Amino acid sequence: MMQFSFHGLTDTGLVRTNNEDAFDFDAIHGVAMLADGMGGYNAGEVASSMAVLGVKGELVRWLAANGPHQSAKQVSRVVETCFDEANLAILNASISNPHYTGMGTTLVVGVFHDRRLILAHVGDSRCYRLRSGVLTQMTKDHSMLQEQVDAGYLTQAQAAYAPGKNLLTRALGVEEVLRVDLREHAVEPGDLYLMCSDGLTDMMTDKEMTLVLTQRAQLVQMAAELVEQCNRNGGRDNISVMLVQADGPAGKTGLISRMFSKP
């Protein structure tokens, strides 16, 4: 059985006064997730926390009850159900509480088990994979800019500097019906996975991220370096990273750690 190590880090950045990102993981069941909330007052924080806590609770409960040998199709179905339930919970909260009107959140979730990854996402929080020194973006943003790229109106390079970067086409808590992108991926020993909010990807290029991740330092050090470099580049948004290392079948003990920035 392949072993996985997990580490997450979040930082408010240099411009925002509050942190609307959230992340969590369960190393025993191989679950990791990250969300980036939006909305007035503290609503963004509420939405991202509801998504992360709600999905993690239901998903881990199901995995614990049904064992690790369920098919990818079964796991995917449960992940999608968890997204749907979190979506409705956030939407109902925004309707019933005036302070939460218009709140929503992105969400990216990975279920790691042996040599497979079930990856689901909504919004523009991303998942990357570093394999043999090559960084690959595994998710596609649900944003107006990405739609313009897909339609051929913009190149990916032009989109990096175009206005409207924060206009999402999908998010939890916005509509009753939620479309979730779900994929199964093969995992190889040595793979390094990065989940992150756009506070990181807006501040660092793929080349800069690759340079940090190819250091093959401890997960704690790599996460800290990613956050520090974002802040050196301006830190215009909250920055959150979730790192997952596939350690191979050597029986290493997974690193279970969580760090939060000071207010």
Side-chain angles (χ1 to χ4, degrees):
M1 293 287 290
M2 194 175 296
Q3 302 294 313
F4 294 93
S5 303
F6 296 78
H7 178 70
L9 177 63
T10 189
D11 188 86
T12 305
L14 303 180
V15 175
R16 301 291 182 96
T17 57
N18 62 323
N19 194 337
E20 297 186 329
D21 290 355
F23 74 88
D24 208 343
F25 61 89
D26 185 292
I28 294 174
H29 297 97
V31 173
M33 58 194 65
L34 184 146
D36 180 356
M38 54 193 181
Y41 299 98
N42 295 320
E45 296 176 26
V46 173
S48 61
S49 295
M50 286 181 67
V52 164
L53 294 175
V55 171
K56 180 194 173 189
E58 290 301 317
L59 184 53
V60 168
R61 187 177 299 114
W62 184 88
L63 291 169
N66 292 276
H69 303 298
Q70 301 299 316
S71 69
K73 186 175 182 179
Q74 289 172 306
V75 175
S76 296
R77 189 180 300 118
V78 172
V79 170
E80 189 167 22
T81 298
C82 291
F83 268 72
D84 287 338
E85 291 177 353
N87 176 60
L88 291 176
I90 295 167
L91 180 60
N92 290 334
S94 71
I95 293 171
S96 61
N97 190 326
H99 291 298
Y100 298 158
T101 300
M103 74 175 178
T105 185
T106 69
L107 182 63
V108 55
V109 174
V111 181
F112 297 84
H113 178 67
D114 200 14
R115 293 181 177 269
R116 72 181 185 187
L117 162 64
I118 306 300
L119 182 63
H121 87 288
V122 169
D124 63 354
S125 291
R126 296 178 180 176
C127 182
Y128 291 83
R129 180 190 65 212
L130 183 74
R131 176 179 290 170
S132 301
V134 178
L135 187 68
T136 301
Q137 183 177 329
M138 304 179 74
T139 55
K140 180 184 286 190
D141 294 350
H142 300 136
S143 67
M144 290 296 294
L145 278 182
Q146 186 61 54
E147 288 191 356
Q148 290 179 308
V149 171
D150 293 342
Y153 298 128
L154 292 173
T155 66
Q156 203 71 54
Q158 290 170 331
Y161 301 98
K165 190 177 292 291
N166 296 324
L167 296 176
L168 301 182
T169 55
R170 296 189 215 174
L172 276 75
V174 177
E175 298 178 334
E176 287 188 15
V177 178
L178 181 70
R179 289 182 296 148
V180 182
D181 280 1
L182 270 159
R183 299 285 187 278
E184 180 183 3
H185 301 274
V187 177
E188 295 183 3
D191 281 354
L192 176 61
Y193 295 87
L194 164 67
M195 295 179 180
C196 59
S197 60
D198 65 347
L200 185 142
T201 51
D202 286 350
M203 292 288 97
M204 293 182 71
T205 65
D206 286 5
K207 182 178 180 180
E208 289 172 326
M209 289 189 286
T210 301
L211 287 174
V212 173
L213 297 176
T214 51
Q215 294 175 2
R216 289 299 180 184
Q218 294 292 323
L219 299 187
V220 175
Q221 296 169 301
M222 288 189 287
E225 176 58 28
L226 288 169
V227 170
E228 288 169 11
Q229 189 157 334
C230 286
N231 281 328
R232 288 197 298 268
N233 292 345
R236 293 194 299 266
D237 199 354
N238 307 144
I239 308 152
S240 293
V241 300
M242 181 78 236
L243 293 172
V244 183
Q245 175 74 60
D247 293 322
K252 295 182 181 178
T253 301
L255 171 67
I256 308 173
S257 55
R258 185 189 309 174
M259 298 175 65
F260 293 94
S261 61
K262 295 181 180 178

